PDB file of all heavy atoms in Angstrom:
ATOM      1  N   ALA A  55      18.333   4.104-190.605  1.00 97.00           N
ATOM      2  CA  ALA A  55      17.313   3.156-190.151  1.00 97.00           C
ATOM      3  C   ALA A  55      17.410   2.966-188.638  1.00 97.00           C
ATOM      4  O   ALA A  55      16.392   2.926-187.927  1.00 97.00           O
ATOM      5  CB  ALA A  55      17.473   1.821-190.871  1.00 97.00           C
ATOM      6  N   SER A  56      18.637   2.872-188.149  1.00 97.00           N
ATOM      7  CA  SER A  56      18.843   2.738-186.698  1.00 97.00           C
ATOM      8  C   SER A  56      18.342   3.982-185.971  1.00 97.00           C
ATOM      9  O   SER A  56      17.711   3.888-184.901  1.00 97.00           O
ATOM     10  CB  SER A  56      20.329   2.528-186.397  1.00 97.00           C
ATOM     11  OG  SER A  56      20.811   1.353-187.018  1.00 97.00           O
ATOM     12  N   LEU A  57      18.591   5.142-186.560  1.00 97.00           N
ATOM     13  CA  LEU A  57      18.146   6.401-185.959  1.00 97.00           C
ATOM     14  C   LEU A  57      16.621   6.455-185.875  1.00 97.00           C
ATOM     15  O   LEU A  57      16.052   6.889-184.859  1.00 97.00           O
ATOM     16  CB  LEU A  57      18.686   7.580-186.774  1.00 97.00           C
ATOM     17  CG  LEU A  57      18.457   8.986-186.200  1.00 97.00           C
ATOM     18  CD1 LEU A  57      19.093   9.124-184.824  1.00 97.00           C
ATOM     19  CD2 LEU A  57      19.032  10.041-187.162  1.00 97.00           C
ATOM     20  N   VAL A  58      15.949   5.999-186.940  1.00 97.00           N
ATOM     21  CA  VAL A  58      14.480   5.951-186.940  1.00 97.00           C
ATOM     22  C   VAL A  58      13.983   5.065-185.808  1.00 97.00           C
ATOM     23  O   VAL A  58      13.062   5.428-185.058  1.00 97.00           O
ATOM     24  CB  VAL A  58      13.960   5.434-188.301  1.00 97.00           C
ATOM     25  CG1 VAL A  58      12.479   5.035-188.195  1.00 97.00           C
ATOM     26  CG2 VAL A  58      14.122   6.486-189.379  1.00 97.00           C
ATOM     27  N   LEU A  59      14.588   3.882-185.664  1.00 96.00           N
ATOM     28  CA  LEU A  59      14.135   2.934-184.648  1.00 96.00           C
ATOM     29  C   LEU A  59      14.417   3.431-183.231  1.00 96.00           C
ATOM     30  O   LEU A  59      13.610   3.207-182.316  1.00 96.00           O
ATOM     31  CB  LEU A  59      14.817   1.581-184.879  1.00 96.00           C
ATOM     32  CG  LEU A  59      14.421   0.873-186.190  1.00 96.00           C
ATOM     33  CD1 LEU A  59      15.265  -0.364-186.414  1.00 96.00           C
ATOM     34  CD2 LEU A  59      12.942   0.508-186.191  1.00 96.00           C
ATOM     35  N   ILE A  60      15.537   4.118-183.054  1.00 96.00           N
ATOM     36  CA  ILE A  60      15.865   4.680-181.744  1.00 96.00           C
ATOM     37  C   ILE A  60      14.880   5.790-181.370  1.00 96.00           C
ATOM     38  O   ILE A  60      14.425   5.893-180.223  1.00 96.00           O
ATOM     39  CB  ILE A  60      17.315   5.219-181.730  1.00 96.00           C
ATOM     40  CG1 ILE A  60      18.310   4.052-181.806  1.00 96.00           C
ATOM     41  CG2 ILE A  60      17.583   6.055-180.478  1.00 96.00           C
ATOM     42  CD1 ILE A  60      19.734   4.485-182.083  1.00 96.00           C
ATOM     43  N   CYS A  61      14.529   6.623-182.349  1.00 95.00           N
ATOM     44  CA  CYS A  61      13.644   7.767-182.088  1.00 95.00           C
ATOM     45  C   CYS A  61      12.178   7.372-181.972  1.00 95.00           C
ATOM     46  O   CYS A  61      11.384   8.080-181.332  1.00 95.00           O
ATOM     47  CB  CYS A  61      13.796   8.800-183.209  1.00 95.00           C
ATOM     48  SG  CYS A  61      15.416   9.608-183.263  1.00 95.00           S
ATOM     49  N   PHE A  62      11.805   6.257-182.576  1.00 94.00           N
ATOM     50  CA  PHE A  62      10.394   5.868-182.666  1.00 94.00           C
ATOM     51  C   PHE A  62       9.648   5.879-181.329  1.00 94.00           C
ATOM     52  O   PHE A  62       8.562   6.465-181.227  1.00 94.00           O
ATOM     53  CB  PHE A  62      10.268   4.495-183.332  1.00 94.00           C
ATOM     54  CG  PHE A  62       8.878   3.942-183.317  1.00 94.00           C
ATOM     55  CD1 PHE A  62       7.895   4.482-184.132  1.00 94.00           C
ATOM     56  CD2 PHE A  62       8.534   2.887-182.480  1.00 94.00           C
ATOM     57  CE1 PHE A  62       6.599   3.990-184.126  1.00 94.00           C
ATOM     58  CE2 PHE A  62       7.240   2.391-182.458  1.00 94.00           C
ATOM     59  CZ  PHE A  62       6.278   2.939-183.276  1.00 94.00           C
ATOM     60  N   PRO A  63      10.175   5.252-180.250  1.00 92.00           N
ATOM     61  CA  PRO A  63       9.407   5.229-178.989  1.00 92.00           C
ATOM     62  C   PRO A  63       9.148   6.613-178.418  1.00 92.00           C
ATOM     63  O   PRO A  63       8.132   6.831-177.750  1.00 92.00           O
ATOM     64  CB  PRO A  63      10.320   4.417-178.046  1.00 92.00           C
ATOM     65  CG  PRO A  63      11.241   3.670-178.932  1.00 92.00           C
ATOM     66  CD  PRO A  63      11.458   4.539-180.131  1.00 92.00           C
ATOM     67  N   PHE A  64      10.038   7.555-178.681  1.00 91.00           N
ATOM     68  CA  PHE A  64       9.890   8.907-178.128  1.00 91.00           C
ATOM     69  C   PHE A  64       8.982   9.770-179.009  1.00 91.00           C
ATOM     70  O   PHE A  64       8.181  10.559-178.516  1.00 91.00           O
ATOM     71  CB  PHE A  64      11.264   9.569-177.985  1.00 91.00           C
ATOM     72  CG  PHE A  64      12.252   8.733-177.212  1.00 91.00           C
ATOM     73  CD1 PHE A  64      13.187   7.958-177.875  1.00 91.00           C
ATOM     74  CD2 PHE A  64      12.217   8.697-175.821  1.00 91.00           C
ATOM     75  CE1 PHE A  64      14.083   7.175-177.173  1.00 91.00           C
ATOM     76  CE2 PHE A  64      13.110   7.916-175.105  1.00 91.00           C
ATOM     77  CZ  PHE A  64      14.053   7.148-175.785  1.00 91.00           C
ATOM     78  N   VAL A  65       9.109   9.585-180.315  1.00 90.00           N
ATOM     79  CA  VAL A  65       8.344  10.393-181.269  1.00 90.00           C
ATOM     80  C   VAL A  65       6.862  10.051-181.225  1.00 90.00           C
ATOM     81  O   VAL A  65       6.003  10.930-181.349  1.00 90.00           O
ATOM     82  CB  VAL A  65       8.906  10.177-182.698  1.00 90.00           C
ATOM     83  CG1 VAL A  65       7.932  10.691-183.750  1.00 90.00           C
ATOM     84  CG2 VAL A  65      10.259  10.853-182.843  1.00 90.00           C
ATOM     85  N   TYR A  66       6.559   8.789-181.040  1.00 78.00           N
ATOM     86  CA  TYR A  66       5.183   8.313-181.178  1.00 78.00           C
ATOM     87  C   TYR A  66       4.198   9.043-180.265  1.00 78.00           C
ATOM     88  O   TYR A  66       3.036   9.240-180.615  1.00 78.00           O
ATOM     89  CB  TYR A  66       5.125   6.806-180.894  1.00 78.00           C
ATOM     90  CG  TYR A  66       3.776   6.186-181.165  1.00 78.00           C
ATOM     91  CD1 TYR A  66       3.331   5.987-182.479  1.00 78.00           C
ATOM     92  CD2 TYR A  66       2.934   5.834-180.124  1.00 78.00           C
ATOM     93  CE1 TYR A  66       2.091   5.437-182.732  1.00 78.00           C
ATOM     94  CE2 TYR A  66       1.682   5.280-180.366  1.00 78.00           C
ATOM     95  CZ  TYR A  66       1.268   5.080-181.667  1.00 78.00           C
ATOM     96  OH  TYR A  66       0.039   4.546-181.931  1.00 78.00           O
ATOM     97  N   PHE A  67       4.650   9.489-179.100  1.00 83.00           N
ATOM     98  CA  PHE A  67       3.744  10.100-178.125  1.00 83.00           C
ATOM     99  C   PHE A  67       3.354  11.534-178.485  1.00 83.00           C
ATOM    100  O   PHE A  67       2.301  12.014-178.078  1.00 83.00           O
ATOM    101  CB  PHE A  67       4.373  10.056-176.732  1.00 83.00           C
ATOM    102  CG  PHE A  67       4.513   8.655-176.200  1.00 83.00           C
ATOM    103  CD1 PHE A  67       5.742   8.032-176.194  1.00 83.00           C
ATOM    104  CD2 PHE A  67       3.408   7.961-175.733  1.00 83.00           C
ATOM    105  CE1 PHE A  67       5.877   6.729-175.716  1.00 83.00           C
ATOM    106  CE2 PHE A  67       3.534   6.659-175.255  1.00 83.00           C
ATOM    107  CZ  PHE A  67       4.772   6.043-175.245  1.00 83.00           C
ATOM    108  N   PHE A  68       4.189  12.246-179.236  1.00 87.00           N
ATOM    109  CA  PHE A  68       3.842  13.630-179.598  1.00 87.00           C
ATOM    110  C   PHE A  68       3.691  13.831-181.108  1.00 87.00           C
ATOM    111  O   PHE A  68       3.332  14.911-181.561  1.00 87.00           O
ATOM    112  CB  PHE A  68       4.899  14.604-179.057  1.00 87.00           C
ATOM    113  CG  PHE A  68       6.269  14.466-179.644  1.00 87.00           C
ATOM    114  CD1 PHE A  68       6.610  15.125-180.817  1.00 87.00           C
ATOM    115  CD2 PHE A  68       7.232  13.672-179.033  1.00 87.00           C
ATOM    116  CE1 PHE A  68       7.870  14.999-181.367  1.00 87.00           C
ATOM    117  CE2 PHE A  68       8.498  13.544-179.579  1.00 87.00           C
ATOM    118  CZ  PHE A  68       8.821  14.208-180.748  1.00 87.00           C
ATOM    119  N   ASP A  69       3.949  12.787-181.892  1.00 91.00           N
ATOM    120  CA  ASP A  69       3.854  12.900-183.353  1.00 91.00           C
ATOM    121  C   ASP A  69       3.282  11.588-183.885  1.00 91.00           C
ATOM    122  O   ASP A  69       3.999  10.755-184.435  1.00 91.00           O
ATOM    123  CB  ASP A  69       5.250  13.185-183.938  1.00 91.00           C
ATOM    124  CG  ASP A  69       5.244  13.319-185.461  1.00 91.00           C
ATOM    125  OD1 ASP A  69       4.148  13.440-186.042  1.00 91.00           O
ATOM    126  OD2 ASP A  69       6.333  13.273-186.068  1.00 91.00           O
ATOM    127  N   ARG A  70       1.963  11.417-183.712  1.00 84.00           N
ATOM    128  CA  ARG A  70       1.327  10.149-184.069  1.00 84.00           C
ATOM    129  C   ARG A  70       1.460   9.807-185.557  1.00 84.00           C
ATOM    130  O   ARG A  70       1.467   8.638-185.929  1.00 84.00           O
ATOM    131  CB  ARG A  70      -0.152  10.177-183.657  1.00 84.00           C
ATOM    132  CG  ARG A  70      -0.376  10.076-182.150  1.00 84.00           C
ATOM    133  CD  ARG A  70       0.139   8.745-181.618  1.00 84.00           C
ATOM    134  NE  ARG A  70      -0.016   8.619-180.187  1.00 84.00           N
ATOM    135  CZ  ARG A  70      -1.061   8.027-179.606  1.00 84.00           C
ATOM    136  NH1 ARG A  70      -2.041   7.542-180.337  1.00 84.00           N
ATOM    137  NH2 ARG A  70      -1.122   7.945-178.297  1.00 84.00           N
ATOM    138  N   GLU A  71       1.539  10.815-186.394  1.00 90.00           N
ATOM    139  CA  GLU A  71       1.713  10.551-187.822  1.00 90.00           C
ATOM    140  C   GLU A  71       3.186  10.320-188.197  1.00 90.00           C
ATOM    141  O   GLU A  71       3.498  10.010-189.325  1.00 90.00           O
ATOM    142  CB  GLU A  71       1.159  11.706-188.656  1.00 90.00           C
ATOM    143  CG  GLU A  71      -0.302  11.568-189.017  1.00 90.00           C
ATOM    144  CD  GLU A  71      -0.573  10.362-189.915  1.00 90.00           C
ATOM    145  OE1 GLU A  71      -0.219  10.397-191.106  1.00 90.00           O
ATOM    146  OE2 GLU A  71      -1.156   9.384-189.418  1.00 90.00           O
ATOM    147  N   ARG A  72       4.063  10.510-187.221  1.00 93.00           N
ATOM    148  CA  ARG A  72       5.504  10.211-187.369  1.00 93.00           C
ATOM    149  C   ARG A  72       6.168  10.995-188.507  1.00 93.00           C
ATOM    150  O   ARG A  72       7.031  10.493-189.221  1.00 93.00           O
ATOM    151  CB  ARG A  72       5.705   8.704-187.554  1.00 93.00           C
ATOM    152  CG  ARG A  72       5.360   7.905-186.316  1.00 93.00           C
ATOM    153  CD  ARG A  72       5.106   6.451-186.618  1.00 93.00           C
ATOM    154  NE  ARG A  72       3.745   6.241-187.083  1.00 93.00           N
ATOM    155  CZ  ARG A  72       3.256   5.068-187.449  1.00 93.00           C
ATOM    156  NH1 ARG A  72       4.012   3.995-187.396  1.00 93.00           N
ATOM    157  NH2 ARG A  72       2.027   4.955-187.876  1.00 93.00           N
ATOM    158  N   HIS A  73       5.754  12.249-188.676  1.00 95.00           N
ATOM    159  CA  HIS A  73       6.361  13.089-189.706  1.00 95.00           C
ATOM    160  C   HIS A  73       7.850  13.313-189.440  1.00 95.00           C
ATOM    161  O   HIS A  73       8.650  13.418-190.380  1.00 95.00           O
ATOM    162  CB  HIS A  73       5.641  14.442-189.786  1.00 95.00           C
ATOM    163  CG  HIS A  73       4.216  14.338-190.225  1.00 95.00           C
ATOM    164  ND1 HIS A  73       3.838  13.685-191.382  1.00 95.00           N
ATOM    165  CD2 HIS A  73       3.062  14.810-189.659  1.00 95.00           C
ATOM    166  CE1 HIS A  73       2.529  13.762-191.519  1.00 95.00           C
ATOM    167  NE2 HIS A  73       2.032  14.430-190.485  1.00 95.00           N
ATOM    168  N   SER A  74       8.224  13.405-188.170  1.00 96.00           N
ATOM    169  CA  SER A  74       9.639  13.628-187.847  1.00 96.00           C
ATOM    170  C   SER A  74      10.491  12.448-188.287  1.00 96.00           C
ATOM    171  O   SER A  74      11.640  12.620-188.719  1.00 96.00           O
ATOM    172  CB  SER A  74       9.807  13.881-186.341  1.00 96.00           C
ATOM    173  OG  SER A  74       9.172  12.873-185.589  1.00 96.00           O
ATOM    174  N   LEU A  75       9.934  11.230-188.217  1.00 97.00           N
ATOM    175  CA  LEU A  75      10.669  10.057-188.694  1.00 97.00           C
ATOM    176  C   LEU A  75      10.783  10.076-190.216  1.00 97.00           C
ATOM    177  O   LEU A  75      11.797   9.658-190.782  1.00 97.00           O
ATOM    178  CB  LEU A  75       9.967   8.771-188.235  1.00 97.00           C
ATOM    179  CG  LEU A  75       9.866   8.555-186.725  1.00 97.00           C
ATOM    180  CD1 LEU A  75       9.220   7.202-186.428  1.00 97.00           C
ATOM    181  CD2 LEU A  75      11.234   8.644-186.050  1.00 97.00           C
ATOM    182  N   HIS A  76       9.745  10.578-190.857  1.00 97.00           N
ATOM    183  CA  HIS A  76       9.792  10.717-192.319  1.00 97.00           C
ATOM    184  C   HIS A  76      10.901  11.703-192.725  1.00 97.00           C
ATOM    185  O   HIS A  76      11.578  11.500-193.739  1.00 97.00           O
ATOM    186  CB  HIS A  76       8.436  11.201-192.835  1.00 97.00           C
ATOM    187  CG  HIS A  76       8.401  11.493-194.305  1.00 97.00           C
ATOM    188  ND1 HIS A  76       8.503  10.509-195.272  1.00 97.00           N
ATOM    189  CD2 HIS A  76       8.279  12.673-194.982  1.00 97.00           C
ATOM    190  CE1 HIS A  76       8.439  11.065-196.469  1.00 97.00           C
ATOM    191  NE2 HIS A  76       8.300  12.373-196.321  1.00 97.00           N
ATOM    192  N   TRP A  77      11.107  12.747-191.912  1.00 97.00           N
ATOM    193  CA  TRP A  77      12.174  13.707-192.228  1.00 97.00           C
ATOM    194  C   TRP A  77      13.555  13.085-192.057  1.00 97.00           C
ATOM    195  O   TRP A  77      14.508  13.477-192.725  1.00 97.00           O
ATOM    196  CB  TRP A  77      12.014  14.970-191.385  1.00 97.00           C
ATOM    197  CG  TRP A  77      10.968  15.870-191.961  1.00 97.00           C
ATOM    198  CD1 TRP A  77       9.682  16.011-191.537  1.00 97.00           C
ATOM    199  CD2 TRP A  77      11.090  16.702-193.116  1.00 97.00           C
ATOM    200  NE1 TRP A  77       8.989  16.884-192.341  1.00 97.00           N
ATOM    201  CE2 TRP A  77       9.835  17.330-193.328  1.00 97.00           C
ATOM    202  CE3 TRP A  77      12.138  16.985-193.994  1.00 97.00           C
ATOM    203  CZ2 TRP A  77       9.593  18.213-194.376  1.00 97.00           C
ATOM    204  CZ3 TRP A  77      11.898  17.877-195.040  1.00 97.00           C
ATOM    205  CH2 TRP A  77      10.647  18.477-195.219  1.00 97.00           C
ATOM    206  N   ILE A  78      13.665  12.103-191.197  1.00 97.00           N
ATOM    207  CA  ILE A  78      14.929  11.358-191.101  1.00 97.00           C
ATOM    208  C   ILE A  78      15.164  10.601-192.407  1.00 97.00           C
ATOM    209  O   ILE A  78      16.285  10.558-192.925  1.00 97.00           O
ATOM    210  CB  ILE A  78      14.914  10.393-189.897  1.00 97.00           C
ATOM    211  CG1 ILE A  78      14.882  11.176-188.588  1.00 97.00           C
ATOM    212  CG2 ILE A  78      16.135   9.459-189.930  1.00 97.00           C
ATOM    213  CD1 ILE A  78      14.750  10.300-187.341  1.00 97.00           C
ATOM    214  N   ALA A  79      14.093  10.024-192.952  1.00 97.00           N
ATOM    215  CA  ALA A  79      14.199   9.308-194.232  1.00 97.00           C
ATOM    216  C   ALA A  79      14.589  10.269-195.362  1.00 97.00           C
ATOM    217  O   ALA A  79      15.385   9.923-196.245  1.00 97.00           O
ATOM    218  CB  ALA A  79      12.880   8.613-194.554  1.00 97.00           C
ATOM    219  N   ILE A  80      14.029  11.477-195.333  1.00 98.00           N
ATOM    220  CA  ILE A  80      14.388  12.488-196.334  1.00 98.00           C
ATOM    221  C   ILE A  80      15.875  12.840-196.220  1.00 98.00           C
ATOM    222  O   ILE A  80      16.589  12.950-197.231  1.00 98.00           O
ATOM    223  CB  ILE A  80      13.510  13.746-196.179  1.00 98.00           C
ATOM    224  CG1 ILE A  80      12.083  13.455-196.646  1.00 98.00           C
ATOM    225  CG2 ILE A  80      14.093  14.927-196.950  1.00 98.00           C
ATOM    226  CD1 ILE A  80      11.099  14.571-196.358  1.00 98.00           C
TER     227      ILE A  80
END
Side-chain angles (χ1 to χ4, degrees):
S56 300
L57 187 59
V58 165
L59 294 173
I60 291 168
C61 293
F62 173 72
F64 307 99
V65 165
Y66 187 73
F67 293 104
F68 65 86
D69 180 13
R70 287 297 178 95
E71 271 296 287
R72 292 161 277 178
H73 295 307
S74 51
L75 298 183
H76 175 68
W77 280 101
I78 293 175
I80 288 172

